[in-house]
Amino acid sequence: MTEPTFADRDAVARTDAHGVALDCLAAGIAAALPERIVADRASVADGVLGVESVDGTHVEYDLDDYDEVRLVGAGKAAGGMANALATRLGDRLVGGAVVTVDEGDESDEGDGGDESDEGDGGDESDEGHEASPVDVLPGDHPLPSDRGVASTRRVIDIADGAGPNDLVIAVVTGGGSALLAAPADPISIDDFRTATAELLASGASIDEINAVRKHCSAVKGGRLAGIAAPATVLTLAVSDVVGDDLGVIASGPTAPDPSTYADALAVWDRYELDPPATVREHLQAGVAGNRPETPTAADPLFERTRTLVVGNARTALDAAATAAADRGYDPLVLAAGVRGEAREAALSHVAIAEECTETGSPATPPCVLLSGGETTVTLGTADGRDGRDGELNGHDERDERHGEPADGRHGGPNGEFATSAGVALDRDGVVVASVDTDGIDGTSGAAGGIVDAATLDADAARDALARHDVAPLLDAADALLRTGPTGTNVNDLRVLVVTGPAE
């Protein structure tokens, strides 16, 4: 297991407070790494698999009760989760396959891939040196690809081969919606890809986007559980979704789906979008009752299915809070589910930090304020003119060939959060840092940014914000935070270190 590190830390950590902020961020990301999560949440003792969720729910599965144990899944943390679980399960695990992002290809998101890159075997576990029986296969994110389809086909085959006396363990993590790519007939991967790109640029919420994904997929919206039935299915989920909605995490491949074809079709009309013909015709056929609806909670297949959230934003926040306390700072978690416009959220965070310096409330300096969740950036035109072209979050579109932003803008919600905070700060004693825990903040090529009151020129920062091109500005100020792909994703993590005395 590789602990997260920040590039050019000596230049970035220009004060002790900057160093504390980086330490808290690193601790939060480390706690959410898949190997750490499995170590903390899963065990096998005397042939019994035990799993504890983040809410304290504990379940046990006697492995002797099953003929075979198989493992499937998808997401940015799926490879690490699979290998860590394989180490614990040992020879009780007959095999499996998961789809994840090839870290070497992260900057070339969604390039369509080559099916020859699919791979023919598992990776070596970070916790052991023997080859894993689980095939860790490549897909693409944020747009689905041909190689993702090929990899997903292998996942489907393994799930479909499970018998009534088998246990199928599914690992579902952030990024799985794009990585687990199996368009429903007759939708082609090209049309599915086009539809996904349109939705990501539309300003639609993740719930709306995933309602469409689920109803245009052969595996999402509980359909993977249906493929595995009548086997017993246990899903371990690492949530990148505010509120940990099981139907939204990776588009809920093993979870009941409350959305309908009508809901999915309405998204296109609500945002005045024109989907590819095969997508619209498929959804219309579903509304007319000519396509099977995704399974709901009342479906009998879920009687043998259980999903536990084993990692989420709180996982990172709790670890960051512990790191702050270990360094002599009073930690305060403001919220795990911050949403809305990134630059506006920054202003409210700065206001709370300033209140701490002035009144000692809600926390007395030296203190560290923490928050999680997922903010967005409402895009105008590339030159900064008003107009809504969509929303930028941690999962947006790059040029298909070179990993460059399609419109030339380099930024993301965490970079804009930090930049907006840098403009708003008018006093010393506060350091603000914000990152996407997967290490990829929008189209910035970085994880996020870190600032204090003296980091940025206010006029230059306002101009960069207007153009949604903040990464070059932060980089020039030694304030751009780079980790590379971390191998996990529990959304954003923000740290405000307040050292100024209360007056």
Side-chain angles (χ1 to χ4, degrees):
M1 174 168 51
T2 302
E3 296 291 329
T5 57
F6 292 97
D8 302 318
R9 180 183 169 108
D10 289 344
V12 173
R14 59 179 61 91
T15 69
D16 289 344
H18 284 72
V20 170
L22 296 182
D23 289 344
C24 291
L25 292 173
I29 296 171
L33 292 176
E35 298 86 356
R36 180 77 62 82
I37 287 174
V38 171
D40 291 344
R41 297 291 175 183
S43 63
V44 176
D46 298 323
V48 176
L49 169 65
V51 181
E52 184 171 341
S53 70
V54 294
D55 67 4
T57 300
H58 184 82
V59 299
E60 292 186 346
Y61 290 78
D62 189 336
L63 300 178
D64 289 335
D65 291 341
Y66 303 98
D67 293 341
E68 292 185 347
V69 179
R70 299 173 174 226
L71 195 152
V72 296
K76 292 186 176 183
M81 291 279 290
N83 286 334
L85 285 167
T87 298
R88 281 160 177 73
L89 292 167
D91 59 9
R92 294 177 181 273
L93 180 64
V94 300
V98 297
V99 189
T100 192
V101 172
D102 184 338
E103 291 187 4
D105 290 344
E106 183 75 24
S107 63
D108 286 325
E109 295 170 348
D111 63 0
D114 186 322
E115 292 187 25
S116 65
D117 291 335
E118 182 179 340
D120 59 0
D123 289 350
E124 289 189 358
S125 169
D126 286 338
E127 298 186 14
H129 299 290
E130 295 183 1
S132 168
V134 179
D135 293 338
V136 179
L137 307 175
D140 289 284
H141 183 278
L143 301 180
S145 66
D146 288 329
R147 68 175 181 175
V149 171
S151 296
T152 301
R153 192 176 300 124
R154 173 68 175 145
V155 170
I156 292 173
D157 288 345
I158 290 172
D160 191 42
N165 297 320
D166 293 342
L167 172 64
V168 176
I169 301 173
V171 292
V172 174
T173 77
S177 291
L179 291 162
L180 199 63
D185 289 336
I187 301 171
S188 69
I189 184 59
D190 289 339
D191 284 349
F192 192 43
R193 179 183 175 83
T194 297
T196 303
E198 290 181 12
L199 290 167
L200 289 174
S202 70
S205 70
I206 189 62
D207 295 44
E208 292 171 317
I209 293 171
N210 283 359
V212 176
R213 283 167 158 166
K214 286 187 278 190
H215 286 87
C216 293
S217 171
V219 291
K220 299 180 178 71
R223 296 191 191 276
L224 184 60
I227 292 169
T232 299
V233 178
L234 169 65
T235 300
L236 308 187
V238 178
S239 174
D240 66 335
V241 174
V242 173
D244 300 339
D245 187 331
L246 302 181
V248 178
I249 303 168
S251 297
T254 59
D257 180 27
S259 70
T260 65
Y261 279 104
D263 294 331
L265 189 61
V267 173
W268 298 101
D269 298 332
R270 187 175 304 125
Y271 293 93
E272 299 179 348
L273 301 173
D274 186 20
T278 57
V279 171
R280 182 172 288 279
E281 290 166 5
H282 174 76
L283 295 177
Q284 289 173 336
V287 172
N290 297 325
R291 298 280 189 276
E293 188 54 90
T294 50
T296 67
D299 195 301
L301 78 89
F302 293 113
E303 293 176 2
R304 302 188 67 179
T305 299
R306 184 153 197 172
T307 300
L308 299 179
V309 176
V310 292
N312 59 7
R314 282 281 175 184
T315 303
L317 288 168
D318 289 347
T322 298
D326 289 345
R327 288 156 180 79
Y329 290 75
D330 183 21
L332 175 64
V333 176
L334 300 176
V338 174
R339 300 177 291 281
E341 194 75 12
R343 66 182 70 184
E344 298 301 327
L347 300 182
S348 62
H349 281 65
V350 167
I352 295 171
E354 291 175 342
E355 188 72 13
C356 292
T357 66
E358 293 175 2
T359 69
S361 177
T364 302
C367 60
V368 169
L369 309 178
L370 301 158
S371 75
E374 185 172 47
T375 61
T376 55
V377 172
T378 301
L379 298 176
T381 57
D383 61 3
R385 296 192 304 272
D386 289 338
R388 179 166 177 165
D389 293 341
E391 287 187 347
L392 181 71
N393 58 26
H395 318 290
D396 279 274
E397 185 176 0
R398 293 172 176 265
D399 179 90
E400 294 183 11
R401 294 166 298 170
H402 305 298
E404 284 297 310
D407 57 10
R409 292 181 278 205
H410 300 77
N414 292 283
E416 291 216 0
F417 183 99
T419 302
S420 181
V423 174
L425 286 168
D426 62 1
R427 69 196 69 189
D428 295 331
V430 179
V431 172
V432 179
S434 183
V435 298
D436 193 318
T437 54
D438 69 0
I440 306 297
D441 181 37
T443 60
S444 69
I450 183 169
V451 299
D452 60 17
T455 302
L456 303 175
D457 175 80
D459 290 338
R462 292 188 185 97
D463 177 65
L465 284 166
R467 292 182 291 107
H468 304 295
D469 194 31
V470 299
L473 178 77
L474 292 168
D475 198 14
D478 289 328
L480 192 65
L481 296 179
R482 295 186 178 91
T483 61
T486 62
T488 192
N489 187 12
V490 290
N491 273 342
D492 303 335
L493 177 60
R494 306 174 201 90
V495 176
L496 288 81
V497 179
V498 184
T499 58
E503 297 178 358

